[in-house]
Amino acid sequence: MRQLRRDTIEKKRQPGALLEAVLQARAMATIAVVGAGMMGSALCVPLADRGHDVRLIGTPLDGAIVRAVQAERRHPTLGLELPAGVRCFPVSELETAAVEADALVLGVSSAGVGWAAQALAPLLARRTRPLLMLSKGLEHTQAGLTVLSDSFRRGLPAELQAECQPVAVCGPCIAGELARRVPTVVVFTGRELGPARRLAEWIETPYYRAVLAADVVGAQVCAALKNAYAMGVAFGAGLHQRAHGERGSIALHNYEAAVFAQALLETRALVLSLGGSPDTVLGLAGSGDLTVTCNGGRTGRFGALLGLGHTAPEAIRLMQGATLECLEVLSVLESYLRIPSPARPELHALPLLSHLIAVGLHGAAVDMPFGDFFRA
Ligand SMILES: NC(=O)c1ccc[n+]([C@@H]2O[C@H](COP(=O)([O-])OP(=O)(O)OC[C@H]3O[C@@H](n4cnc5c(N)ncnc54)[C@H](O)[C@@H]3O)[C@@H](O)[C@H]2O)c1
């Protein structure tokens, strides 16, 4: 932790200011954010506004972003300048930049979680510290379907696993809005709520609020599934455009609403089967995050391209390398649900998910099976 600042020490001399000064000093920390993509970089904004020493560290894939931020502070995919309090480092400097960090933030997408566990293990071996995960997704292992906070722990050497309890961020948070200080409320969830509370104390600002939740599995399953289901809601925008429809109140909003409601029902079935709470599906981590993902971002653009009539490979090409976790989660769910088990819902009982798998992974045309919806 940094020392008390001079102005803080001056304040301390004034009557009644001691507690305030101590609290302010406690709130200042060194925070290392690993992964310089959109979300990791966006989280640096509230951290810098809170006065922390923020170190944004690229992965091996982030060389161009790191060079751009180092040269002119401008983040190329967020399209804005990062605050002066954020220092950016290449992956070759990961260990030196993060060694003093009081907390680590993981900004990689699901594909980078295995790399991150290996890369951060030496830092966690030196000292236990809170770890906040922004990554959303699921992994299918022999143990079943695993949420990413558990995948990260499993990627660590055995002797570090007990010490490390990542806190996952779920709920609605578009990186571009957070980076522009647009009000956002998210969910911090972990198997232990102590680190979640501490991280929230360090990060919260008037525009970035965190609600603590104990349903680690439910919240992270919702976070992963919304990427797949939002793709299906976005078919409507593409179909409307394909029919030369104009923007406005007469579009495919009825279609989108029916897909949205079915998405929540199927999410509830999956969350329940994995031991999560149905209340989580109704709340910020479920319906809140699905709403935001349908309304903007790359998953919505990708779904709209499929609705327009592009095949999945064509739509992937048109997305020009954007991270498409919707396809990853569809593929994980397909391999998980294909294995029959009384503990797993059957794929035919999830007609929307089955259709998304067919369109996204197997080249089927968009033809929403509304007749099979709302039966359960
Ligand atoms: N963009 C958003 O609005 C948003 C909102 C909430 C949560 N998230 C989540 O945050 C995570 C990151 O999303 P993003 O928007 O920053 O994506 P991005 O594509 O901008 O950045 C992805 C990050 O992951 C790293 N990465 C990807 N594959 C990797 C691999 N194989 N090995 C090592 N590193 C790898 C990249 O280098 C980069 O740092 C995702 O899981 C996403 O679901 C994003």
Side-chain angles (χ1 to χ4, degrees):
M1 298 284 278
R2 278 201 262 161
Q3 298 298 308
L4 286 174
R5 287 193 309 209
R6 183 183 294 279
D7 57 345
T8 312
I9 294 167
E10 291 304 322
K11 252 188 169 182
K12 206 171 68 166
R13 299 202 180 105
Q14 295 166 17
L18 178 61
L19 181 62
E20 190 196 330
V22 170
L23 287 175
Q24 189 182 337
R26 277 186 58 208
M28 286 163 36
T30 298
I31 315 259
V33 179
V34 179
M38 293 179 75
M39 196 58 219
S41 305
L43 198 83
C44 292
V45 175
L47 289 171
D49 285 353
R50 283 290 304 269
H52 297 305
D53 173 1
V54 187
R55 302 171 181 196
L56 175 63
I57 305 157
T59 72
L61 307 178
D62 292 341
I65 297 177
V66 171
R67 284 191 293 280
V69 175
Q70 285 181 332
E72 50 180 16
R73 308 216 57 75
R74 191 171 173 79
H75 191 284
T77 48
L78 282 174
L80 47 69
E81 277 187 26
L82 293 179
V86 180
R87 286 187 284 161
C88 194
F89 300 87
V91 68
S92 54
E93 293 172 34
L94 170 63
E95 210 154 333
T96 42
V99 70
E100 288 172 19
D102 300 298
L104 301 169
V105 177
L106 199 52
V108 297
S109 47
S110 47
V113 169
W115 168 83
Q118 286 193 354
L120 298 187
L123 291 164
L124 293 168
R126 282 170 180 255
R127 172 153 73 85
T128 314
R129 44 199 132 186
L131 184 127
L132 188 71
M133 283 186 74
L134 304 171
S135 323
K136 295 185 175 182
L138 290 168
E139 192 189 6
H140 181 204
T141 65
Q142 282 185 334
L145 213 52
T146 310
V147 293
L148 287 188
S149 55
D150 290 341
S151 298
F152 177 84
R153 281 183 72 223
R154 249 182 243 154
L156 294 173
E159 66 278 12
L160 295 180
Q161 290 181 12
E163 299 288 318
C164 179
Q165 283 297 352
V167 174
V169 183
C170 301
C173 185
I174 298 236
E177 290 191 9
L178 175 60
R180 287 163 181 82
R181 301 181 176 85
V182 174
T184 303
V185 184
V186 296
V187 173
F188 280 12
T189 184
R191 293 196 191 280
E192 288 169 10
L193 285 182
R197 197 166 294 117
R198 193 141 135 239
L199 286 161
E201 282 165 10
W202 271 331
I203 297 175
E204 278 194 313
T205 66
Y207 63 85
Y208 186 75
R209 301 266 175 213
V211 176
L212 304 192
D215 185 10
V216 184
V217 169
Q220 289 186 81
V221 171
C222 285
L225 292 183
K226 61 97 198 210
N227 274 323
Y229 284 120
M231 178 188 112
V233 175
F235 288 169
L239 288 165
H240 183 56
Q241 198 182 332
R242 193 173 176 182
H244 308 293
E246 294 186 357
R247 280 171 178 267
S249 58
I250 309 288
L252 269 76
H253 301 314
N254 294 341
Y255 176 110
E256 291 163 357
V259 179
F260 185 96
Q262 178 66 20
L264 287 185
L265 290 177
E266 294 190 9
T267 302
R268 186 182 64 172
L270 283 157
V271 163
L272 278 170
S273 74
L274 292 161
S277 160
D279 290 347
T280 303
V281 182
L282 288 181
L284 196 56
S287 65
D289 201 2
L290 183 58
T291 301
V292 93
T293 312
C294 294
N295 281 328
R298 54 203 177 210
T299 308
R301 289 201 306 282
F302 181 67
L305 287 170
L306 295 171
L308 255 173
H310 291 288
T311 62
E314 280 167 6
I316 291 168
R317 190 173 43 76
L318 290 167
M319 292 297 294
Q320 300 180 323
T323 303
L324 289 172
E325 286 172 317
C326 49
L327 295 180
E328 246 168 73
V329 81
L330 285 175
S331 157
V332 166
L333 286 167
E334 185 184 34
S335 74
Y336 170 72
L337 293 169
R338 206 187 309 145
I339 303 165
S341 150
R344 299 174 193 193
E346 293 181 22
L347 245 182
H348 71 79
L350 304 167
L352 173 56
L353 184 66
S354 303
H355 186 53
L356 300 177
I357 289 172
V359 174
L361 304 181
H362 302 301
V366 171
D367 182 13
M368 199 56 78
F370 286 116
D372 298 332
F373 285 9
F374 310 115
R375 302 251 177 233

